[in-house]
Each structure stands twice: as C-alpha cells, then as structure tokens.
Amino acid sequence: MSRIDKVRNKLTELNVDALLVTESKNLRYLANFTGSAGVAIITATESYFVTDFRYTEQAAEQAVGFNIRIHKQPIMAEVNEILNENNVTKIAIEANQMNVATYLQIKELFTAEIVETQGLVEKIREIKEPEELASIKAACEITDQSFDHILKFIKPGVTELEVANELEAFLKSKGASAMSFDTIVASGVRSSMPHGVASNKVIEDGDMITLDWGCYYNGYSSDMTRTIAVGKVDPELEKIYHIVLEAHERVNSSAKAGMTGKEIDALARDYITEQGYGEYFGHSTGHGLGLDVHELPAISVKNDEPVKAGMVITNEPGIYIPGLGGVRIENDLIVTEDGVESTNNSPKHLIIL
C-alpha cells in the first residue's frame, strides 16, 4: 500500500474529506519534496502540492503524482480554492505542527470545517520501508566510522567544542548532509548532564567523556552515544559504566515486536533500579528514529502501545550523578518479530585513552 493510500485510510477512519500537510518532514515523506516552502492537500481521489515560483522545477521533479499548483495569491487562499474545487467540507490539519497565526488565518479563510489531528502522518512513518532502513543503516555506518576517527583525536588539552567540530567535519566528508542534533560532548563532572552540549571546557586527564551525536544521510538520521575515559577512571564511574552497559544489553537481548514501550523501558530501568541507581536515570530508555531524530514510538514508562516490526528505536539507558559524572550508551535498533537488529557496530566496552 502506498503512503498516500495509508493517509486516505486514516481520512476514512476520521470521517474527513482531506488532509492539509504543512510539516516539512511529512512533506518529504509523502511528496518527496525537500524545499522550504510548500503544502500538500490529499483527498480521497486527488493529491495536490502547492508552492511558489522558486520551486516550480523542483516540485515537478520531486512531487511525482501530485497536481502542482504555483500560487500567486497567499498560499492558504490557494489551498482554499482547491478545497472548494473538490467540494471538501471537512479538512484535517496537523494541529501539533501548525502555529497559532496560521491556524487563525485558515479558520477565517476556509469554508470547510477544520478538524485538528495530531500525529496522523507520524504514526504512518513509524514503520520503515526497506529503502528507509537502508538510509538509516548508511547514516549509522558513517557514524561508526566517525567514532573510530574521534578516538584518535581526543586527548587532554582539546576542548569539547573542538571534538564536536571534528566529528561534524568527518561526517560531512563521508556524505552526511548535517548533524541530526547539536552534538553532546560532556567531560568530567559535566558528563552528569544528559544533554551537555559541547562547550569550551578543556578535556583533562581523568575525565569521563559522554559523546552523543548523529547525522543525516539521504534525509534519515542516526543517533549514537558512547562514554569513554581519558586516563585514570574513578572507581564509582567504572562501576556505573558496567551497570549501564548491562542495562543496555538487556534491552538488546529481550526487546521485540509486541512489547510495549513501557515494557522495553523496564528492561533497562528495573536493572538500574535494582543496582541502587534508579533515581539517577531520569529520561526514557529510547525513542523512535527516522526522518526526525526524535519521533514515535516512545520507549518510556508512558507508552502502553506495542512496538511493531519495522520500527526503529534507540536504546540509551544512562546514570548521571551530579558532582561526579555520568554514563550513557546508545545504539539504534530495528525491531523485528523475534528481537532487534542493531544498526551500530562501534565497541561498547569501556575505552580508556
């Protein structure tokens, strides 16, 4: 079943006539459009892509199968004309992706009834097609290569920011289009900050360093975390490292399709709690990965929905102790019927430089 047909099935379930797609990643997913200005309208029988003069050629090349409309009036006025031409009386919008100003504008402009939806396309995106998995694997492969590279670069005297910049330069040299998020390089006591974005702190002998980074390749993201040490390791941090690694491996060995996000989260969380560090593991065990580096499904205590084969999730337990430091280990996993397949191959044993 095509992606557009999956959307049409959702429209039938919601008893609406059409969907207005405004979110950029959803436009790429449905219309293959990578420009910065455009919207799509999907009805039971037609698909329209509306953009401006700058993207006339690009839309024609990318949005194959869509009726291309180049608007000369305001874009939402053009959308309203399309809705009227197709006798649309109820139009679904991506409420979680639309700003208030646009919502107020269409509420005044559209003659069709507006139906607010959340995550309609994002739910379809959860299960990846073979070509999507291939792009994610390629992103993860060059991320693995960048880990090998950065181990030769890190030493006392370099800054966290220099490490982050070196990672970005290497990944782009291998074909990455961008980093998938601001690179985290948190050394020493800063490693207790789960999202300690790279700073001007100088790496010192004795530091534990958490590296969390990823890239976009062919539109799809990677997301990997490794924690390494420079010089002598604090005994408690070494203990924590092995607890986190065991929690991580429990997810790898037991997670599979049919388990809920909450159940997968518990594989790591329960073990860390048993070891006495539950209060220091404050984030979820993972999240979905694809066109967005953070997408559905959530691998957390809040998600009672089962994961399905073809979903891609992260596995990233961690322990963070203020004033001491922290450890996180993360791989990206493809969910299968009877387990998970890791898309990362970087070593996970404690590396001491």
Side-chain angles (χ1 to χ4, degrees):
M1 183 184 296
S2 74
R3 295 173 182 179
I4 298 298
D5 285 338
K6 290 176 182 177
V7 169
R8 287 175 174 147
N9 284 346
K10 292 285 187 182
L11 298 181
T12 300
E13 292 174 15
L14 293 169
N15 192 31
V16 295
D17 304 316
L19 171 67
L20 173 62
V21 184
T22 52
E23 202 280 323
S24 61
K25 298 292 174 58
N26 290 340
L27 289 170
R28 178 167 187 151
Y29 183 74
L30 295 172
N32 196 37
F33 182 72
T34 60
S36 61
V39 300
I41 304 101
I42 298 169
T43 74
T45 58
E46 300 290 340
S47 300
Y48 295 87
F49 192 84
V50 185
T51 189
D52 62 50
F53 174 80
R54 296 171 297 165
Y55 295 107
T56 302
E57 292 183 59
Q58 183 176 342
E61 290 174 2
Q62 294 182 332
V64 177
F66 281 72
N67 297 310
I68 309 299
R69 296 274 285 258
I70 305 302
H71 67 90
K72 293 186 174 70
Q73 58 184 324
I75 190 168
M76 289 304 172
E78 189 76 26
V79 169
N80 190 50
E81 281 195 11
I82 293 170
L83 300 183
N84 291 335
E85 289 168 13
N86 287 268
N87 299 313
V88 171
T89 60
K90 295 174 74 175
I91 176 74
I93 64 166
E94 299 179 299
N96 54 319
Q97 303 291 355
M98 182 178 287
N99 62 41
V100 175
T102 301
Y103 176 74
L104 293 175
Q105 178 190 10
I106 65 172
K107 196 173 180 183
E108 180 72 22
L109 184 65
F110 288 2
T111 53
E113 177 187 349
I114 296 170
V115 178
E116 297 89 358
T117 69
Q118 294 190 31
L120 188 153
V121 179
E122 287 85 347
K123 289 293 290 183
I124 297 170
R125 282 169 44 189
E126 283 187 305
I127 298 178
K128 272 57 182 180
E129 298 165 4
E131 61 268 28
E132 294 180 282
L133 294 176
S135 293
I136 291 170
K137 287 179 178 180
C140 290
E141 181 180 349
I142 62 174
T143 304
D144 280 334
Q145 292 173 23
S146 71
F147 184 57
D148 290 338
H149 175 77
I150 209 66
L151 289 177
K152 302 178 184 72
F153 181 85
I154 294 174
K155 61 184 178 182
V158 303
T159 67
E160 295 172 347
L161 193 56
E162 287 171 332
V163 173
N165 289 340
E166 184 69 18
L167 281 168
E168 180 170 355
F170 182 88
L171 284 163
K172 288 187 175 179
S173 77
K174 296 298 180 180
S177 59
M179 304 302 282
S180 46
F181 54 94
D182 289 339
T183 299
I184 293 168
V185 183
S187 61
V189 294
R190 289 191 76 249
S191 63
S192 67
M193 301 166 61
H195 277 193
V197 173
S199 73
N200 286 316
K201 179 190 173 300
V202 174
I203 291 171
E204 304 173 69
D205 188 68
D207 277 355
M208 206 75 153
I209 309 170
T210 298
L211 305 163
D212 187 352
W213 76 107
C215 67
Y216 279 109
Y217 186 89
N218 195 29
Y220 285 82
S221 55
S222 64
D223 184 3
M224 188 171 81
T225 306
R226 291 294 184 269
T227 302
I228 63 172
V230 176
K232 187 177 180 181
V233 181
D234 183 286
E236 185 171 6
L237 285 173
E238 185 171 4
K239 175 186 175 183
I240 287 169
Y241 189 97
H242 293 296
I243 292 171
V244 171
L245 180 57
E246 175 61 23
H248 173 90
E249 295 296 2
R250 288 187 177 210
V251 173
N252 288 339
S253 62
S254 299
K256 62 182 179 180
M259 295 180 68
T260 66
K262 183 176 181 178
E263 289 170 335
I264 297 174
D265 179 89
L267 294 171
R269 190 170 307 281
D270 289 354
Y271 178 73
I272 289 174
T273 300
E274 288 167 10
Q275 299 303 308
Y277 291 92
E279 66 181 295
Y280 301 110
F281 178 23
H283 58 73
S284 62
T285 295
H287 53 81
L289 183 82
L291 286 168
D292 280 311
V293 72
H294 290 92
E295 59 180 48
L296 299 173
I299 307 304
S300 77
V301 296
K302 298 177 182 179
N303 184 13
D304 289 316
E305 293 187 20
V307 300
K308 298 177 182 178
M311 292 181 175
V312 179
I313 61 174
T314 66
N315 170 18
E316 50 181 304
I319 295 173
Y320 315 91
I321 301 179
L324 176 65
V327 173
R328 180 164 68 255
I329 302 169
E330 175 186 20
N331 272 12
D332 303 331
L333 310 176
I334 300 171
V335 178
T336 67
E337 292 293 350
D338 55 2
V340 291
E341 172 193 347
S342 178
T343 58
N344 304 99
N345 295 303
S346 292
K348 290 181 285 190
H349 65 273
L350 178 57
I351 294 172
I352 303 175
L353 301 178

